[in-house]
Amino acid sequence: MNRLTDVSWEDFSSLPLEEKSPYLSRGDGDGTPYHTLFAQQFDRPLLERLCALANRIRFINKSCEGAMFLKSVLAHKRAMLYFSQPSSRTFLSHLAACQILGLTTGSVRDAATSSEFKGESNEDSVRTFSSYFDMIIMRSPKQGLAEKMAWELSNSSRPIPILNAGSGKDQHPTQALLDIYTLIRSFEMKGGVDGRTVVFCGDLLRGRTVRSLSYLLTKFDGVKQIFVAPKELQVPDDVIAVLKEKGVEHSLSSDLKAAVKVADAVYMTRIQDEWDESKGESAKIDTSHFKFGAEELALLGPDGVIMHPLPRRDEISTVCDHDPRAMYWRQMRNGMWIRAALIAAVFGYEKTIMECGY
Ligand code: NCD
C-alpha cells in the first residue's frame, strides 16, 4: 500500500497525477479516496459506485425515518469548510451534504475574519482546523495548497481528510463528479453516457471545472469532446495532451452553432476574468459568439442537455431556463447528493448506507 507517510513532499509532488492517486486513497483496495484532490483519483467503477450511493442517499432521505437514519451516520464527526475564494453553490451544497449525514460544521469564508489576517500562513490555519475537526473541505486560489495540506496533515499527529472544493485554475474534482452524475442521470433511460459528444464552450483556458470534467469523461467509452472558445481562451495544452494520450476523439472550434448540432451535452462556462493579468484584459476579447441562446436551443437535439457549473453571466440566455433540456438547476441539487455520497465513502460508510434497510 502507498502511504503519504512513506514519501517525501518533494518525491510526492513531482509524481504524475495518476501515480499520486494510490497515496490518496483510504487503502481499502477499491480506490475510495481519503483525501480528494484531483479528478484523476476516480475510475469508472468508483464513479459508478458513488453515483449509486448518491441515488441511494436521495431515496433514503425521502422518508422521515430514512432522513433521521442518515443524520445518525456521521453525527460523531465534524467538518470545517475553509473557503478563501468566493462560492455560493459549492459551499452550500457541501454544507447541506454534511447536514444530511449529521456532521456538524464550522466555516471560514473570508481570510479577513481569521488569523490569516494577522499574518498566519494557510498551512498553520489548516493545522489549526485539524485540531478541532475531522475533515477539511477547502477552496483556495492557490493551485497546489490542498495537495500540500493533504501531505502535511497525513504526516502530522492528527491526520484528517482534505476535500478539494476548487484549487486555483487547476482542479475542481467534486464539480466534475456532479457533472458526471448529471450526465449519467440525464442519459440513464436513453442509452447511457458512452459514445456521446460533449461540447465545452466559454473560458476553457482558466475554467478548472473543464479540466476536471474533460478528464473524467475519458473514463467513458467513445465520448467525443469538442472545445469551442475564442482563440485567446482555448483549452490549455495539458488537457489536450491527456486526450491524445488516451486516444480520445476531440476537436477545437470557434463555431458554437455547428458544435451544438452534433452535441449530446453542451457545457457552458463563464469568462473567468478574476484571473486577468491586467485589468480589463478579458473584456477586450470578442466573446459574443460563445453564448447559448434561442438559436442554439433550436439546433440542440431533443435529448440534448445544457449544463453550466454556475454562476452564469450572460453565456446562457434566460430563454433557456424553462426548457426541459436545461440541466443547470438540477446540477446544483445533484451536487448535494453526490457530495454526501463522497463524504460518506471517505469516512468508510458506503456499505452501511447501501445495505441499510431503508
Ligand atoms: C465554478 C468554480 O468555482 O470553478 N463554480 C462552481 O464551483 N460551481 C465555476 C465558475 O466560478 O465559473
Side-chain angles (χ1 to χ4, degrees), residues 28-328:
D28 299 338
D30 58 8
T32 306
Y34 178 73
H35 299 297
T36 307
L37 306 179
F38 319 112
Q40 279 71 7
Q41 289 173 252
F42 298 92
D43 59 13
R44 177 87 178 251
L46 179 57
L47 287 173
E48 285 175 357
R49 269 173 42 213
L50 289 174
C51 291
L53 183 58
N55 283 342
R56 187 89 182 92
I57 290 173
R58 75 200 291 168
F59 175 78
I60 296 169
N61 202 63
K62 285 184 197 301
S63 73
C64 179
E65 295 77 12
M68 294 313 286
F69 159 74
L70 287 173
K71 270 191 166 300
S72 72
V73 172
L74 290 174
H76 57 302
K77 299 284 184 193
R78 290 185 297 278
M80 176 67 192
L81 292 113
Y82 171 43
F83 278 58
S84 51
Q85 252 189 325
S87 175
S88 301
R89 278 148 289 269
T90 308
F91 180 87
L92 291 173
S93 65
H94 276 107
L95 179 69
C98 288
Q99 289 169 344
I100 289 167
L101 298 168
L103 286 112
T104 32
T105 55
S107 64
V108 166
R109 299 198 67 174
D110 181 354
T113 65
S114 79
S115 283
E116 279 174 30
F117 194 64
K118 300 181 191 167
E120 185 167 65
S121 66
N122 302 131
E123 284 80 354
D124 285 4
S125 292
V126 171
R127 285 294 288 265
T128 305
F129 302 147
S130 76
S131 305
Y132 309 127
F133 293 93
D134 304 298
M135 163 180 261
I136 297 174
I137 301 168
M138 62 182 281
R139 164 172 286 196
S140 167
K142 286 197 192 167
Q143 180 158 326
L145 186 65
E147 181 181 341
K148 181 75 190 331
M149 291 329 304
W151 186 89
E152 290 280 356
L153 288 181
S154 282
N155 282 280
S156 77
S157 54
R158 212 182 123 65
I160 62 167
I162 295 262
L163 202 157
N164 176 9
S167 53
K169 287 179 268 184
D170 179 40
Q171 285 262 354
H172 197 344
T174 65
Q175 177 70 42
L177 276 184
L178 80 87
D179 294 336
I180 289 291
Y181 184 44
T182 302
L183 286 167
I184 287 180
R185 286 177 69 84
S186 301
F187 297 122
E188 200 168 19
M189 304 297 178
K190 296 170 182 169
V193 177
D194 292 321
R196 299 283 174 178
T197 297
V198 178
V199 171
F200 292 90
C201 177
D203 188 344
L204 309 183
L205 179 66
R206 302 174 292 186
R208 56 193 168 194
T209 66
V210 174
R211 176 178 285 99
S212 294
L213 178 57
S214 169
Y215 179 84
L216 281 195
L217 287 171
T218 68
K219 303 293 168 192
F220 292 81
D221 296 331
V223 171
K224 187 176 169 197
Q225 303 188 24
I226 305 178
F227 300 93
V228 182
K231 63 178 186 323
E232 299 89 334
L233 301 175
Q234 251 307 355
V235 69
D237 294 342
D238 67 296
V239 175
I240 296 299
V242 170
L243 301 181
K244 282 189 179 150
E245 183 209 315
K246 299 194 180 296
V248 172
E249 202 180 331
H250 63 276
S251 60
L252 271 55
S253 162
S254 56
D255 187 345
L256 179 59
K257 287 196 176 68
V260 170
K261 282 186 199 159
V262 297
D264 294 296
V266 183
Y267 191 90
M268 298 298 297
T269 63
R270 78 180 164 89
I271 305 302
Q272 312 269 318
D273 48 15
E274 66 270 37
W275 297 109
D276 280 1
E277 278 161 24
S278 61
K279 205 169 171 345
E281 184 186 318
S282 298
K284 293 188 194 123
I285 301 170
D286 180 6
T287 55
S288 57
H289 303 294
F290 304 92
K291 299 186 199 294
F292 196 102
E295 288 177 29
E296 288 71 21
L297 194 59
L299 297 172
L300 185 67
D303 291 341
V305 296
I306 314 159
M307 295 169 65
H308 195 306
L310 302 177
R312 81 171 147 184
R313 290 177 181 168
D314 62 351
E315 58 278 350
I316 299 181
S317 161
T318 52
V319 304
C320 305
D321 286 1
H322 297 288
D323 192 281
R325 295 165 293 179
M327 285 296 151
Y328 30 100

